[in-house]
């Protein structure tokens, strides 16, 4: 998602033709965030198709009501884009709020302290080993390189 937004920002920055549609593009692309947060794939895995269909129908009806109420002519294009995004964003926010059904966020220090310490020690040893190699290479290149004063004596 982050790469998609960085790519979009680069395109808008370097393309003058796209830049004039910037607000519209940003409005429509904001749906990427909500689609990512929505985790619709999780509900498909658990075969909650009835929930997905009902949720989509409700938010599409809400989006249609908002469109018919607030979008009047061609000058309301940005409002149209935000209304369209609001329909899918609302559905995905409901998905996000229902994630508690599948995940528990309890953390037990007693249960997880030993694995955390093992991973910390492992990364510390790895870091020291990598740094030691770099330090040894630096020392070896300094020792093997002739000093500047010996060049001047020749």
């Amino acid at each position: 998602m982050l790469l998609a937004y960085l790519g979009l920002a680069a395109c808008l920055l370097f393309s003058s033709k796209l830049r004039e549609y910037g607000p519209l593009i940003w409005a429509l692309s904001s749906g990427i965030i909500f689609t990512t947060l929505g985790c619709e794939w999780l509900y498909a895995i658990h075969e909650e198709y009835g929930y997905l269909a009902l949720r989509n129908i409700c938010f599409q009806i809400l989006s249609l009501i908002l469109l018919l109420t607030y979008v009047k002519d061609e000058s309301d294009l940005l409002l149209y884009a935000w209304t369209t995004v609001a329909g899918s964003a609302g559905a995905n926010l409901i998905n996000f709020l229902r994630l508690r059904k599948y995940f528990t966020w309890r953390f037990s220090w007693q249960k997880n302290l030993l694995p955390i310490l093992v991973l910390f020690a492992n990364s510390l040893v790895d870091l020291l080993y990598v740094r030691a190699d770099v330090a040894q290479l630096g020392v070896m290149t300094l020792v093997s390189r002739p000093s500047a004063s010996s060049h001047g004596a020749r």
Side-chain angles (χ1 to χ4, degrees):
M1 177 180 75
L2 186 60
L3 289 174
Y5 276 111
L6 288 173
L8 179 62
C11 288
L12 288 173
L13 184 66
F14 296 116
S15 173
S16 60
K17 290 182 181 180
L18 288 178
R19 204 173 303 130
E20 67 183 82
Y21 296 106
L24 183 62
I25 291 171
W26 284 116
L28 291 172
S29 69
S30 67
I32 296 171
I33 295 170
F34 297 107
T35 301
T36 304
L37 288 177
C39 297
E40 192 156 323
W41 55 270
L42 182 68
Y43 297 98
I45 288 172
H46 290 283
E47 297 181 359
E48 291 195 36
Y49 299 115
Y51 157 73
L52 291 174
L54 181 63
R55 181 211 64 186
N56 280 337
I57 290 170
C58 290
F59 277 96
Q60 291 301 321
I61 290 172
L62 177 65
S63 181
L64 181 63
I65 291 169
L66 290 172
L67 284 173
L68 293 173
T69 305
Y70 294 109
V71 177
K72 301 296 182 195
D73 56 27
E74 290 178 11
S75 65
D76 295 332
L77 186 60
L78 191 59
L79 187 59
Y80 171 79
W82 280 114
T83 307
T84 304
V85 168
S88 66
N92 285 311
L93 283 175
I94 297 294
N95 279 357
F96 182 74
L97 295 174
R98 285 190 75 223
L99 284 177
R100 291 180 291 167
K101 179 179 177 181
Y102 297 105
F103 297 105
T104 57
W105 302 99
R106 296 183 193 120
F107 186 78
S108 169
W109 280 104
Q110 295 82 12
K111 183 179 175 184
N112 297 314
L113 186 60
L114 182 63
I116 289 171
L117 289 174
V118 168
L119 288 172
F120 174 73
N122 217 6
S123 61
L124 183 64
V125 168
D126 182 51
L127 178 71
L128 291 174
Y129 180 73
V130 169
R131 298 285 187 220
D133 282 351
V134 171
Q136 287 174 353
L137 286 172
V139 169
M140 289 173 20
T141 56
L142 285 175
V143 170
S144 66
R145 208 183 305 160
S147 66
S149 60
S150 65
H151 286 297
R154 289 185 196 176

